[in-house]
Amino acid sequence: MDISEKKRRIESISNEVKELHPILENVLPKLPGVKSYAYTHGQYERGADFVVEVVNSSTKRTNHVGVVVKCGKISSSRIGDVEEQIKECAEERAYQVINRVRCSEVWVFASAGYSERAKEKLQERLKGRSIEFFGSEDIAAFVDDHYPYFWSDLPTEIGKYLQSAKSRIEALDKTTGLLLTSVQSDTYIDLDTYEHQKKTYTNTNTNTSKPSTKTVDFIKEACSTSFGLLEAEMGFGKSKLARRLALSLCDAISFKRRKLLPILTTYRQFIDCHNSSLEALAEFSLGLA
């Protein structure tokens, strides 16, 4: 999917709350400098659909940004409600329950963009306010960087989980690697994996069993069986191999084809926290429990 197709996909969004808000809820927390956020859309939103806490890279101080979200294009004839929302963003509000804050800056997201004339009018009418505008191309670029699973048409909870799992596994790989560098290497040497088999040797006197082995594709084997046991001595790379399996299952195409969800947990957690129930573990991991 090229950028023009992605733009059209964003521009075709017609439901602000059910479609556009979930996209931004997956994007905003991951933008550089964002420390925290709150979804504030509703009866008491005071103009902002989201409030974002941003850390200034120079001073290390934080300020709060009100995020105004609109479906369609913001034109000169449509700036009235946008103007009112921007004004309301300056009102004091509760943030993260105990804090009282004012939004000194406003970000306006419009799924189909905005006209330059509408932008000029709003900036003229609201002099002294810091306002940034973002259209479909900006939103598509943010999705590319921070929520690429959106393009795969996965359910929101699935896409969000796969992205989070992928990030956790990659971070774990980085911290457990032998080379502690700031750059993560993509180099990986595949381990040979074997399936244990029993082969019977018969002679005239006695029957004895001798173990035999057969090379297998570990990822293919793991995906085609309901239960597997991976054995090796300490330091052979079992954990790394398991993470490679999980990463392969974090791919959106893989999920669509196999319908397998990678969940990393310990046996103790599975027994003690989820009562040995795969359904309970999956619901907990997806945030549905």
Side-chain angles (χ1 to χ4, degrees):
M1 186 182 295
D2 60 26
I3 186 61
S4 60
E5 291 179 278
K6 291 175 180 178
K7 282 180 60 181
R8 285 195 293 270
R9 175 80 177 274
I10 298 297
E11 289 166 359
S12 68
I13 292 173
S14 58
N15 191 309
E16 178 185 312
V17 174
K18 292 184 178 180
E19 297 179 81
L20 192 52
H21 284 187
I23 293 173
L24 293 176
E25 193 164 12
N26 280 288
V27 166
L28 292 172
K30 302 179 183 71
L31 294 179
V34 171
K35 182 178 179 181
S36 65
Y37 86 103
Y39 182 52
T40 52
H41 174 78
Q43 185 178 359
Y44 304 106
E45 68 183 39
R46 287 189 170 88
D49 295 297
F50 296 88
V51 174
V52 180
E53 184 181 15
V54 180
V55 180
N56 186 293
S57 59
S58 299
T59 64
K60 306 303 178 185
R61 293 185 177 180
T62 61
N63 67 291
H64 293 83
V65 178
V67 180
V68 175
V69 183
K70 292 295 180 185
C71 268
K73 184 173 183 176
I74 299 176
S75 59
S76 295
S77 61
R78 197 187 168 201
I79 64 174
D81 59 336
V82 179
E83 179 181 2
E84 186 61 28
Q85 281 189 259
I86 293 174
K87 287 179 178 177
E88 289 180 357
C89 282
E91 296 180 13
E92 187 178 72
R93 71 188 66 233
Y95 181 76
Q96 304 289 18
V97 181
I98 62 173
N99 297 318
R100 304 291 297 180
V101 302
R102 294 180 186 273
C103 296
S104 57
E105 185 177 353
V106 177
W107 295 345
V108 180
F109 284 84
S111 61
Y114 51 88
S115 70
E116 283 300 318
R117 184 58 183 147
K119 178 180 175 180
E120 289 172 0
K121 282 185 175 181
L122 286 168
Q123 290 176 329
E124 179 64 27
R125 293 181 184 182
L126 299 166
K127 288 181 178 179
R129 299 298 309 276
S130 176
I131 311 170
E132 294 288 344
F133 294 84
F134 303 93
S136 58
E137 187 169 353
D138 301 304
I139 297 172
F142 287 146
V143 171
D144 269 346
D145 291 339
H146 305 293
Y147 186 46
Y149 285 96
F150 170 75
W151 308 124
S152 302
D153 293 315
L154 293 175
T156 300
E157 64 273 12
I158 296 293
K160 188 175 181 179
Y161 173 78
L162 290 176
Q163 178 171 296
S164 174
K166 182 174 184 289
S167 298
R168 291 200 315 271
I169 295 166
E170 289 176 339
L172 186 59
D173 256 356
K174 189 174 181 179
T175 57
T176 57
L178 292 176
L179 300 177
L180 300 178
T181 64
S182 58
V183 179
Q184 185 174 359
S185 173
D186 291 329
T187 302
Y188 175 72
I189 301 175
D190 285 319
L191 297 175
D192 290 332
T193 52
Y194 303 90
E195 177 187 1
H196 278 281
Q197 297 178 311
K198 289 285 187 179
K199 186 173 181 180
T200 301
Y201 292 84
T202 304
N203 56 36
T204 56
N205 298 319
T206 180
N207 290 336
T208 59
S209 294
K210 181 180 179 180
S212 180
T213 56
K214 180 183 75 172
T215 304
V216 296
D217 182 323
F218 175 73
I219 292 178
K220 183 178 179 181
E221 187 73 16
C223 292
S224 62
T225 58
S226 58
F227 177 80
L229 181 64
L230 179 62
E231 293 182 297
E233 294 182 17
M234 185 180 296
F236 267 64
K238 299 185 296 298
S239 297
K240 178 73 172 181
L241 190 57
R243 291 196 295 271
R244 297 295 292 187
L245 168 63
L247 275 176
S248 73
L249 295 176
C250 285
D251 179 72
I253 296 175
S254 171
F255 180 81
K256 284 186 170 183
R257 184 175 75 252
R258 294 169 168 154
K259 296 296 187 291
L260 294 175
L261 194 69
I263 299 176
L264 273 70
T265 188
T266 65
Y267 183 72
R268 179 179 292 276
Q269 288 175 330
F270 177 58
I271 299 298
D272 294 346
C273 301
H274 307 290
N275 297 317
S276 308
S277 168
L278 288 174
E279 183 179 356
L281 174 61
E283 288 181 349
F284 175 80
S285 300
L286 291 172
L288 302 178

